[in-house]
């Protein structure tokens, strides 16, 4: 099993400031034949199902604001929110789909 | 619009059984693999099971293997999860989720989970 570890577990950022969440996989999720990392990011607000934000580590899902961006390759990944908005308060999860899927433990993002 | 609606949750005693359903609409269900994901109260997301678009290539998490069975009826646009020998630790909201890419043979080729249902609560308690 590929284990996903996120850091930090929680994060408080001021409105308009940058938020950065990290995700590390216990093995590489980069498929060499297509040079894609099988890594996704999801946002979950209270009482709602998760929402896909990013897949292939850096491809933004349709309709996702461009303040959300993903980066990284292999085993180390980052989700960045360039200018935090009030509606971005949520728990964020990374997930690998290279093998049987596994989610990180989640990072709770709050307003400072 | 693309929609997934789960049903079948409820309260069941330990050792009991329950069948969840996930009704799909707004897309060609038979072209897409599907997943079940669960979330225990106040906890994170746990992947449960995957079924390929045609019902082949089925996978389970170790925590449910031998107790849960995933299936689909493409003529009814519906995904199922048969849950037997339920335990307290199976208590969770159960979500069905659609994969991003059509006709994927495996979890990896099917991509991320782009559409999720609202979930159905399963409580295992005496």
């Amino acid at each position: 099993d590929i284990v996903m570890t996120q850091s930090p577990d929680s994060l408080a950022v001021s409105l308009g400031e940058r938020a950065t969440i990290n995700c590390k996989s216990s093995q590489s999720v980069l498929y060499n034949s297509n040079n894609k990392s099988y890594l996704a990011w999801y946002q979950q607000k209270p009482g709602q199902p998760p929402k896909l934000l990013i897949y292939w580590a850096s491809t933004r899902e349709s309709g996702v604001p461009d303040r959300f961006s993903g980066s990284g390759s292999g085993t180390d990944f980052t989700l960045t929110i360039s200018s935090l908005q009030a509606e971005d308060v949520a728990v964020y999860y990374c997930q690998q789909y290279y093998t049987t899927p596994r989610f990180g433990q989640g990072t709770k993002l709050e307003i400072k | 619009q693309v929609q997934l609606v789960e049903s079948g949750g409820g309260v069941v005693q330990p050792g009991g059984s329950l069948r969840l359903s996930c009704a799909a609409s707004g897309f060609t269900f038979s072209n897409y693999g599907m997943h079940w994901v669960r979330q225990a109260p106040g906890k994170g997301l746990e992947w449960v099971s995957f079924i390929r678009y045609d019902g082949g290539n089925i996978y389970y998490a170790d925590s449910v293997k031998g107790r849960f069975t995933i299936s689909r009826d493409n003529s009814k646009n519906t995904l199922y999860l048969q849950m037997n020998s339920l335990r307290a630790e199976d208590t969770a909201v159960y979500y069905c989720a659609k994969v991003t890419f059509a006709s994927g043979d495996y979890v990896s080729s099917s991509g991320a989970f782009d559409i999720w249902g609202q979930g159905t609560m399963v409580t295992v308690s005496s």
Side-chain angles (χ1 to χ4, degrees):
Chain A
D1 264 12
I2 299 178
V3 177
M4 309 302 291
T5 305
Q6 293 179 227
S7 62
D9 290 334
S10 63
L11 181 62
V13 175
S14 300
L15 289 173
E17 295 300 305
R18 180 186 299 259
T20 301
I21 298 170
N22 300 302
C23 175
K24 188 173 184 68
S25 58
S26 60
Q27 303 171 44
S28 175
V29 297
L30 173 66
Y31 192 40
N32 290 328
S33 67
N34 60 11
N35 201 36
K36 290 183 183 292
S37 288
Y38 286 53
L39 189 284
W41 289 96
Y42 300 85
Q43 174 194 65
Q44 188 178 31
K45 297 180 180 180
Q48 296 185 19
K51 173 187 175 183
L52 177 64
L53 298 175
I54 303 281
Y55 58 97
W56 297 140
S58 61
T59 300
R60 201 177 301 115
E61 173 72 338
S62 175
V64 173
D66 61 7
R67 64 180 181 273
F68 290 91
S69 64
S71 62
S73 180
T75 61
D76 292 279
F77 303 92
T78 300
L79 174 70
T80 301
I81 307 172
S82 60
S83 176
L84 189 70
Q85 305 299 302
E87 60 265 32
D88 300 335
V89 169
V91 178
Y92 292 84
Y93 295 92
C94 64
Q95 177 217 29
Q96 65 82 10
Y97 49 97
Y98 186 82
T99 62
T100 50
R102 194 77 176 258
F103 294 89
Q105 80 276 18
T107 294
K108 186 174 184 179
L109 178 58
E110 299 172 312
I111 304 295
K112 185 188 292 184
Chain B
Q1 76 279 20
V2 178
Q3 193 173 10
L4 299 171
V5 178
E6 301 94 337
S7 60
V11 180
V12 61
Q13 292 187 338
S17 298
L18 217 50
R19 189 176 85 153
L20 306 183
S21 299
C22 168
S25 59
F27 66 101
T28 306
F29 179 71
S30 59
N31 286 353
Y32 291 88
M34 297 290 295
H35 292 270
W36 286 101
V37 177
R38 68 184 181 183
Q39 186 169 35
K43 301 297 184 183
L45 301 169
E46 180 188 13
W47 172 79
V48 173
S49 184
F50 166 81
I51 186 167
R52 197 172 70 179
Y53 60 94
D54 61 355
N57 281 355
I58 287 174
Y59 304 99
Y60 298 100
D62 288 344
S63 57
V64 307
K65 201 173 294 182
R67 300 188 299 122
F68 289 12
T69 302
I70 191 172
S71 63
R72 64 191 296 158
D73 185 336
N74 286 345
S75 69
K76 296 181 178 179
N77 291 340
T78 303
L79 173 73
Y80 302 100
L81 186 68
Q82 177 67 45
M83 304 186 297
N84 298 331
S85 303
L86 283 162
R87 307 166 179 168
E89 54 265 35
D90 296 318
T91 294
V93 174
Y94 284 73
Y95 297 101
C96 59
K98 167 188 167 291
V99 302
T100 304
F101 302 120
S103 305
D105 285 335
Y106 307 103
V107 165
S108 57
S109 55
S110 299
F113 305 0
D114 63 353
I115 302 295
W116 296 64
Q118 287 298 313
T120 187
M121 183 70 203
V122 172
T123 302
V124 184
S125 174
S126 55

